[in-house]
Amino acid sequence: MTAQLRWPSVAGVAYGGDYNPEQWSREVWREDVALMREAGVNLVSVGIFSWALLEPKEGVYDFAWLDEILGLLHDSGVAVDLGTPSVSPPAWFFHAYPEARVTTREGVIMGFGSRGMASHASPVYRVAIARMAAALATRYADHPAVVMWHVHNEYGVPVGEDFGPQAVEAWRTWLRARYGTLEELNAAWGTAFWGQHYDDWEHVGAPAATPTTPNPAMKLDWARFTDDALRECFRIERDAIRAHATQPITTNFMAHQSWNTDLWKWAAEVDVVSDDHYLVGQDPQAHVALALSADLTRSVGGGKPWILMEHSTSAVNWQGRNIAKRPGEMKRNALTHFGRGADAIMFFQWRASRYGAEKFHSAMVPHAGPHSRVFREVTELGADLAKLESVVGSGVDAQVAVLYDWESMWAQELEWRPSDELQFRGQMRTWYERLWRDNVTVDFALPTHDLSAYRLVVAPSSYLVTADAAARLTDYVRAGGTLVVGPFAGVVDEHDAVHAGGFMAPLRDVLGVTCEEFLPLREGERGAVAFADGASIIGDVWQEDLTLAGAEVVATYASGPGAGGAAVTRHVLGSGQAWYVSTRLGVEELKEVFVRVYADAQVVPPGYPEGVEVVTRRVGEEGFSVVVNHRDEPATLNVTGTDLLTGAVTDDGVLEIQAGAVAVVRLGSHHQGGGS
Ligand code: GAL
């Protein structure tokens, strides 16, 4: 799946952040490099927003300042991840080429004075980014400081879509390549509905503002087109660099926050996967979202170590309430990413900006300067990471796969669904959190991947399932796998058309059940689910009217519109079992389902105290457990080994971990699991 992944040449765990020296004087540069050494920083990303300085007038370059800072960093032992500045074209560019500006869905042409890429479809933009990438690569291909290239910044945000004339032209070309003829396009989009039939390619527009809901198949294709167009821009720069330079090339993803970019496809284009992650301050369990994001990042990269390109030392500035991290939280965050496969821990950004839109964003060197709690913790983290070199390069143990498909997300989030409260990301997070609380580590996967190595495959939100994907899941179960599928699954095909044969038709063989009608609940309404053995739980938002086709009923609806009907089913197929859960359940309620599913799959949760997160990285015979105590009280765990951070040895098999603390234990040979 993934091309050859290559790690930048940095010894041990890479540590650092985005560095924007253009905002500072030479005097501050000298202080910066001294502080970087103090903090153990060995890698910084430079130049991501520097186009206006690097090319002050069209075709006139000024690399002197960049030469100087790269030299200074190199002399100080700090390697450089060199950015290309395509996310922020200069004022002169938009003045000379106003047609390169992005047009919104509503037809508003966006102005200069912020950041965000030009139109991905603009030919002049594409020429300009290729030229800039080539100019940088020619100059710095052999620079001893440069160990990696950082193309663009977070494709798809703040804007991914463009509705301007050039984008519409590119869209038509894309559609012609996909469908060949208008007959095919009309069939795929179901244009017989509402009289949308096309008889001339020139009449096909973008799904811009329409009086009411636009054609969903068109919108789904538009999402695919946008993703492809952004990736074309990445390839233009990557190939321009590759023509001159050999260092690995990356671009920073946003895992579970990526909307426009299908990261399975993107990961195949980069040399090394990197990701940005920020906590949602309002979420008291934001560390669960962090773990999800880290697992997803590792998974799209085929399980290889990855780069945490950005996270924050404390508060961000762009949420409604920007919650500062409390002492120890940054370390827990950073080492959780590390435990889930990140061999580089980086921040946005090195030094807090005094001016501009991000002046209230935290940094490694905050406005308070180096004599601050944050900088002390940054320095301590650098010292901790320096002790973890032996873990670098290892993979992560996972027996369970969770299905995560961007196309299905795009389709599920289209307008006019049975209930807009049943959402892809929400379902994903809830089901993931169940597994997280049980300390069952997961990989993410597509249904079309080889799933045979996993004991259990979990599909929290699989609205779009192709016939091929359904066949693969059926084979997986038949061969002995266990599958558990959440509500509103297998409803549509790749064109967002309901499957011939009805809802869930392609999953009928594997699940032994189909759905006759969706039964969304009213706001605040709940419905009880009763298990045959007497257990009872409550679901909300959603029920379904199921038709059995071979499955046994494990639980029935005791109240709500589905009362009396099946709520949870189990189907034995070949040597495996497939479960279907047709209501929305919370993390606690899912326990009742998962305890049974684990038994079928022979997945044994380790039984660590809830709120203590344990992930194990493995290289050959050697295992390293990263233990993170998210609780306000200490815990003891049955783990034997040596904590690489403190040197403490737990040869009696009992690891004591203080409230909020982290340990990285090189495992001894004894039994692991359990605790209090
Ligand atoms: C990221 C972005 C950075 C910075 C950061 C602030 O999304 O890549 O440049 O803006 O957010 O949290």
Side-chain angles (χ1 to χ4, degrees):
M1 170 203 351
T2 305
Q4 88 284 16
L5 290 175
R6 297 193 298 126
W7 196 253
S9 54
V10 176
V13 180
Y15 185 49
D18 280 16
Y19 180 38
N20 296 304
E22 60 270 49
Q23 297 173 18
W24 301 100
S25 66
R26 299 298 190 270
E27 199 185 331
V28 176
W29 290 8
R30 283 189 291 277
E31 190 195 13
D32 281 337
V33 292
L35 290 175
M36 284 176 192
R37 291 167 91 120
E38 192 179 324
V41 164
N42 56 10
L43 181 66
V44 291
S45 304
V46 177
I48 299 169
F49 299 101
S50 306
W51 194 339
L53 290 183
L54 292 172
E55 192 181 3
K57 288 188 194 325
E58 185 163 13
V60 178
Y61 296 97
D62 175 9
F63 292 115
W65 67 273
L66 189 54
D67 291 349
E68 195 181 333
I69 189 68
L70 294 192
L72 186 59
L73 287 164
H74 182 62
D75 292 345
S76 311
V78 179
V80 171
D81 165 36
L82 189 55
T84 68
S86 50
V87 75
S88 208
W92 64 253
F93 176 82
F94 289 109
H95 182 75
Y97 307 108
E99 70 275 23
R101 289 175 296 169
V102 168
T103 305
T104 66
R105 185 181 297 277
E106 292 72 29
V108 176
I109 299 178
M110 286 200 247
F112 182 75
S114 173
R115 74 167 181 194
M117 78 186 275
S119 165
H120 53 63
S122 159
V124 282
Y125 173 69
R126 288 178 170 215
V127 168
I129 59 174
R131 207 175 48 211
M132 173 53 82
L136 284 165
T138 322
R139 190 168 188 95
Y140 298 110
D142 300 319
H143 195 291
V146 177
V147 295
M148 183 166 63
W149 295 90
H150 180 304
V151 171
H152 199 79
N153 191 63
E154 295 186 337
Y155 279 96
V157 296
V159 283
E161 295 174 304
D162 176 38
F163 294 84
Q166 296 169 128
V168 174
E169 210 44 60
W171 160 238
R172 289 194 191 116
T173 307
W174 186 91
L175 289 170
R176 276 177 194 262
R178 182 171 172 85
Y179 293 111
T181 65
L182 276 175
E183 286 65 40
E184 287 290 321
L185 179 136
N186 279 309
W189 287 7
T191 55
F193 181 82
W194 279 358
Q196 293 169 353
H197 187 269
Y198 296 99
D199 72 351
D200 187 330
W201 285 103
E202 290 303 304
H203 299 170
V204 181
T210 44
T212 183
T213 304
N215 182 316
M218 179 195 209
K219 266 191 102 172
L220 179 56
D221 268 346
W222 177 259
R224 294 181 177 117
F225 156 73
T226 300
D227 179 34
D228 278 355
L230 293 171
R231 213 161 35 251
E232 269 171 26
C233 287
F234 169 75
R235 277 195 219 104
I236 287 171
E237 292 198 57
R238 180 199 62 192
D239 296 349
I241 295 170
R242 186 54 79 232
H244 305 282
T246 56
Q247 300 95 331
I249 303 173
T250 191
T251 182
N252 43 346
F253 298 166
M254 290 160 292
H256 194 42
Q257 294 308 317
S258 296
W259 174 260
N260 290 311
T261 48
D262 177 344
L263 297 183
W264 296 111
K265 292 186 174 151
W266 281 81
E269 303 282 352
V270 296
D271 292 320
V272 57
V273 163
S274 58
D275 191 62
D276 298 348
H277 183 266
Y278 292 96
L279 299 182
V280 173
Q282 273 302 106
D283 179 359
Q285 299 293 317
H287 51 270
V288 179
L290 182 159
L292 190 168
S293 169
D295 284 343
L296 184 56
T297 306
R298 181 188 69 255
S299 301
V300 297
K304 301 272 177 14
W306 53 280
I307 293 173
L308 176 65
M309 189 61 89
E310 295 178 20
H311 71 318
S312 67
T313 58
S314 190
V316 298
N317 65 303
W318 42 265
Q319 297 174 10
R321 295 167 187 213
N322 296 297
I323 310 299
K325 292 187 184 176
R326 300 325 299 142
E329 191 173 357
M330 178 188 76
K331 175 175 174 177
R332 287 196 295 282
N333 293 166
L335 289 177
T336 303
H337 284 293
F338 174 78
R340 294 181 185 273
D343 278 352
I345 302 295
M346 316 268 289
F347 292 96
F348 175 83
Q349 62 177 329
W350 165 251
R351 186 182 278 277
S353 304
R354 282 192 45 230
Y355 41 77
E358 295 185 316
K359 58 184 175 295
F360 292 120
H361 199 290
S362 60
M364 298 173 84
V365 183
H367 291 298
H371 301 292
S372 56
R373 174 189 68 82
V374 166
F375 189 72
R376 272 192 300 280
E377 289 196 27
V378 162
T379 305
E380 284 161 20
L381 180 59
D384 281 337
L385 294 175
K387 298 174 187 159
L388 300 178
E389 189 166 356
S390 51
V391 188
V392 165
S394 56
V396 172
D397 272 357
Q399 298 180 328
V400 176
V402 176
L403 301 184
Y404 194 112
D405 182 354
W406 268 268
E407 295 212 352
S408 188
M409 174 173 77
W410 293 333
Q412 185 173 342
E413 303 300 313
L414 292 163
E415 295 90 345
W416 286 8
R417 303 286 123 185
S419 168
D420 56 13
E421 284 183 76
L422 192 68
Q423 291 175 342
F424 177 91
R425 283 185 178 150
Q427 273 292 106
M428 196 57 74
R429 162 64 188 270
T430 305
W431 283 48
Y432 179 87
E433 185 161 341
R434 178 67 264 151
L435 292 147
W436 183 91
R437 286 205 205 169
D438 294 334
N439 266 305
V440 172
T441 307
V442 304
D443 288 335
F444 286 92
L446 283 173
T448 45
H449 288 163
D450 177 5
L451 301 169
S452 55
Y454 297 105
R455 287 171 186 261
L456 172 64
V457 171
V458 180
S461 203
S462 292
Y463 164 73
L464 186 161
V465 175
T466 62
D468 178 38
R472 303 287 283 267
L473 293 174
T474 310
D475 289 348
Y476 164 76
V477 171
R478 197 174 271 124
T482 300
L483 172 70
V484 54
V485 177
F488 202 37
V491 181
V492 298
D493 66 11
E494 57 271 40
H495 303 301
D496 194 50
V498 172
H499 282 290
F503 306 137
M504 294 176 74
L507 294 176
R508 185 178 194 275
D509 285 352
V510 62
L511 294 178
V513 66
T514 57
C515 171
E516 184 170 326
E517 195 173 19
F518 302 120
L519 305 172
L521 307 186
R522 295 194 168 80
E523 197 177 336
E525 193 182 351
R526 284 155 197 279
V529 173
F531 288 77
D533 63 8
S536 177
I537 53 176
I538 305 286
D540 67 359
V541 168
W542 189 268
Q543 295 185 346
E544 295 180 12
D545 182 3
L546 299 182
T547 305
L548 297 175
E552 62 184 282
V553 177
V554 177
T556 50
Y557 288 114
S559 61
V568 178
T569 59
R570 175 177 180 270
H571 185 221
V572 176
L573 178 68
S575 15
Q577 310 82 27
W579 292 71
Y580 186 57
V581 182
S582 66
T583 183
R584 192 177 83 159
L585 296 173
V587 179
E588 268 311 305
E589 290 73 21
L590 278 171
K591 201 185 234 174
E592 203 56 61
V593 172
F594 269 80
V595 82
R596 296 154 206 263
V597 169
Y598 290 149
D600 262 357
Q602 295 179 325
V603 168
V604 184
Y608 295 128
E610 199 168 292
V612 180
E613 180 174 1
V614 183
V615 199
T616 299
R617 296 187 62 168
R618 221 169 266 288
V619 54
E621 288 298 291
E622 195 135 54
F624 302 88
S625 283
V626 177
V627 181
V628 184
N629 187 359
H630 295 281
R631 311 183 332 162
D632 292 333
E633 55 196 74
T636 53
L637 277 74
N638 297 335
V639 172
T640 303
T642 307
D643 181 357
L644 297 178
L645 299 180
T646 61
V649 180
T650 61
D651 49 9
D652 56 353
V654 179
L655 174 77
E656 288 191 26
I657 181 130
Q658 294 309 309
V662 186
V664 181
V665 182
R666 181 198 295 273
L667 296 175
S669 50
H670 291 81
H671 164 81
Q672 262 189 277
S676 59

